[in-house]
Amino acid sequence: MFIISCAKIISVLLGIVGALFIIPISVALYYGESDVLLSFIIPAAISILAMFAINIPTRKIKISLKTKQTFLIVALSWIFASLMCACTFYSSGYFSSFVDALFESVSGITTTGATILSDVESLPRSINLLRCLTHWIGGMGIVTLTVALLPLLGIGGFQLIKAETTGPEKGKVTARITTTAKILWLIYFGLTVIETVALMIAGMDFVDALSHAFATVGTGGFSTKNASIGSFNSAAIDIICTIFMFLCGINFSLFYYLIIKKFSDVYENSELKAYFSIVVVFILIITFSLMPTYKSFGTSLRYSAFQVVSIITTTGFATADYLFWPFISQVFLFLLFFVGGCSGSTGGGIKVIRWVILGKQLNNETKQMLHPHGVFTIQLNKRVCRKEIVFNVASFMTLYLVLVAITTVIGCIGNLDILTSFSAAASMVGNIGPAFGSLGPSNNCAMLPDFVKLWYSFAMLAGRLELYTMLIFFMPSYWEK
């Protein structure tokens, strides 16, 4: 029964991804890119046909899932979606090996934005659009999209979304998980449309605007230009992308609360306050450190705001090579590698809420030392939160740092220097994209050995799925009956 349920869910998910291929297919037809058409059409057709072939004969069989099984389904869903896009990239003829195509695909789906390509402007526009589309698909979550479009998952839908959604606190903004998923995706779609229009007004053509809207709202970082957003040399475009990156680093549930006028839930949100404070403080620090470089407060603020928001939301866009900035600017940017966006956002990383919880616990520990008989609790959003959440956060942080350490060692084995290896590890696990050293914003990952690319692909998937969904299979307790 589980095999049938698993096949039904994954086939539907891949069928939906295949249906979204109509977007790059349309662009390929419009621009006469006939040499890559079959690369889109064949995987899309196979996935859609497989969906019908599996689900029509089994339509009367109800999907039944156990908690343990949801982790496997979500992990397999992301792996198969990555493989599907990798096949498209590789068959297009623009990637030298399947490992390269897989790395690019995983980087796209996980919204990391690291690339093995040195000249993206030489790619067909449809391939570039697909690269950015993978960010959009993975940003809100491919399982969440499946639940939103087809309520076939029933009660198991919430368990699947919990295994995919980011952040330590996961819940429903409405009573039904299907309705919640639809609301979140409608908000996501709305932000994409608004940014696309704004970028077109600022000077981009439709395909570039749509591509960068996909990458921005998904907080991914792929661009259709070699110099990323900096290629457009437009203050208006920089400002638009900065605003939308910032917005998409916020918990999407808060946008819904704004729509239904539950303003107190937004105003009292502890994570949002911390997120806003971190962004403002880091922008100001880096702005003043850039004054000797750009000789203008306005220009320094523009570059600082863009790069700070790009890194904290794990988008990874660039308007300048920050490796040429003052050392103090680089230090503060590197600190943001370990912050991340808000829970329930499209941003990756550790998440602001976890730092808020640890900060509050540190404050309580200090109070406990001064007042041994006192009773202190952690409050989030002016509500007392569960005690065990501190242990959950501590466990996650430990596992996160362990994975970063292992990934650093793998990079060093691949002949990367320690700075490059450590920053790349933080970047891959945090789904950021650019790093420091030889993998800075002006470089790419093409020179990495294949085994490093494969490990980085695993690290990106683990980071996007909050570690446990991918790492749980290596724990003996998972396989115990």
Side-chain angles (χ1 to χ4, degrees):
M1 184 62 71
F2 166 66
I3 294 176
I4 295 175
S5 297
C6 182
K8 283 168 68 72
I9 294 170
I10 293 176
S11 66
V12 169
L13 184 145
L14 294 179
I16 292 172
V17 173
L20 289 173
F21 273 33
I22 191 64
I23 301 173
I25 288 173
S26 300
V27 171
L29 288 171
Y30 181 81
Y31 286 99
E33 297 168 349
S34 56
D35 58 322
V36 295
L37 265 177
L38 287 179
S39 300
F40 295 117
I41 293 173
I42 292 175
I46 291 174
S47 64
I48 293 171
L49 289 173
M51 177 180 67
F52 287 114
I54 292 173
N55 282 273
I56 290 177
T58 60
R59 62 186 180 276
K60 294 183 179 180
I61 300 177
K62 291 185 177 181
I63 292 176
S64 178
L65 298 175
K66 297 179 181 178
T67 301
K68 182 184 292 188
Q69 296 167 342
T70 60
F71 290 102
L72 181 60
I73 289 177
V74 170
L76 289 176
S77 297
W78 282 74
I79 290 170
F80 279 118
S82 298
L83 288 171
M84 177 180 170
C85 293
C87 289
T88 301
F89 288 145
Y90 183 60
S91 62
S92 71
Y94 289 90
F95 291 80
S96 58
S97 69
F98 185 76
V99 171
D100 282 355
L102 180 63
F103 180 91
E104 196 80 7
S105 174
V106 172
S107 180
I109 289 284
T110 59
T111 73
T112 304
T115 182
I116 53 87
L117 298 168
S118 57
D119 184 13
V120 297
E121 293 179 33
S122 66
L123 296 176
R125 302 202 76 182
S126 54
I127 293 291
N128 261 329
L129 181 60
L130 177 61
R131 291 172 67 241
C132 297
L133 178 61
T134 57
H135 285 330
W136 195 75
I137 294 170
M140 184 57 68
I142 46 183
V143 172
T144 307
L145 176 59
T146 304
V147 174
L149 294 179
L150 293 173
L152 80 167
L153 303 182
I155 297 174
F158 183 53
Q159 295 298 325
L160 288 168
I161 288 181
K162 282 179 66 179
E164 179 185 64
T165 308
T166 61
E169 292 278 77
K170 301 164 186 177
K172 309 174 187 178
V173 297
T174 63
R176 297 185 62 206
I177 189 60
T178 303
T179 305
T180 296
K182 286 179 180 177
I183 288 170
L184 295 179
W185 264 93
L186 283 173
I187 294 170
Y188 190 58
F189 179 79
L191 287 171
T192 306
V193 172
I194 294 170
E195 188 186 0
T196 301
V197 173
L199 290 174
M200 290 177 68
I201 293 172
M204 287 190 187
D205 65 32
F206 173 70
V207 174
D208 277 345
L210 182 62
S211 298
H212 287 91
F214 282 155
T216 305
V217 177
T219 59
F222 279 157
S223 175
T224 60
K225 303 295 182 181
N226 294 330
S228 189
I229 299 296
S231 176
F232 297 97
N233 194 27
S234 167
I237 289 174
D238 290 358
I239 292 170
I240 291 168
C241 289
T242 301
I243 291 171
F244 278 89
M245 286 189 293
F246 178 82
L247 291 175
C248 294
I250 296 172
N251 190 324
F252 272 67
S253 299
L254 298 184
F255 294 121
Y256 175 67
Y257 294 143
L258 282 176
I259 293 170
I260 63 174
K261 299 181 179 180
K262 294 180 69 173
F263 301 120
S264 61
D265 285 355
V266 178
Y267 177 75
E268 294 173 358
N269 189 270
S270 304
E271 184 179 33
L272 179 61
K273 292 177 183 177
Y275 173 66
F276 183 80
S277 300
I278 293 169
V279 169
V280 171
V281 169
F282 274 66
I283 286 176
L284 289 175
I285 291 172
I286 294 178
T287 295
F288 286 111
S289 72
L290 291 178
M291 288 286 286
T293 303
Y294 293 109
K295 313 298 181 183
S296 162
F297 179 79
T299 304
S300 299
L301 178 62
R302 168 186 163 188
Y303 285 108
S304 171
F306 185 95
Q307 209 59 62
V308 165
V309 175
S310 178
I311 296 298
I312 193 172
T313 61
T314 71
T315 305
F317 277 146
T319 52
D321 190 340
Y322 51 73
L323 296 185
F324 293 99
W325 285 2
F327 183 68
I328 187 65
S329 302
Q330 297 183 44
V331 169
F332 276 92
L333 282 180
F334 186 61
L335 290 176
L336 291 175
F337 274 50
F338 295 92
V339 179
C342 297
S343 59
S345 72
T346 58
I350 291 175
K351 302 295 181 301
V352 174
I353 188 63
R354 291 191 172 96
W355 289 111
V356 171
I357 292 169
L358 287 183
K360 288 179 177 289
Q361 180 62 21
L362 177 62
N363 184 50
N364 283 352
E365 292 292 339
T366 304
K367 289 180 180 178
Q368 194 74 58
M369 292 177 66
L370 297 173
H371 307 284
H373 301 293
V375 178
F376 305 100
T377 59
I378 290 178
Q379 287 193 350
L380 292 175
N381 312 330
K382 293 191 175 180
R383 302 182 185 92
V384 177
C385 68
R386 298 173 292 111
K387 290 183 179 179
E388 61 268 24
I389 196 171
V390 177
F391 301 105
N392 293 341
V393 169
S395 299
F396 176 89
M397 299 280 272
T398 301
L399 188 58
Y400 190 95
L401 295 176
V402 167
L403 182 58
V404 168
I406 294 172
T407 305
T408 300
V409 172
I410 297 295
C412 289
I413 294 173
N415 291 321
L416 295 177
D417 62 86
I418 185 63
L419 171 63
T420 301
S421 185
F422 180 54
S423 62
S427 180
M428 297 302 154
V429 178
N431 303 133
I432 297 167
F436 284 80
S438 57
L439 292 178
S442 297
N443 301 312
N444 60 71
C445 299
M447 53 79 173
L448 295 174
D450 282 353
F451 76 90
V452 176
K453 292 175 185 174
L454 290 172
W455 179 265
Y456 279 0
S457 297
F458 170 78
M460 288 187 282
L461 281 169
R464 173 58 184 82
L465 296 176
E466 296 278 275
L467 305 186
Y468 292 105
T469 301
M470 289 297 293
L471 300 181
I472 197 171
F473 308 112
F474 297 95
M475 299 177 183
S477 58
Y478 177 83
W479 303 103
E480 293 176 359
K481 292 184 178 180

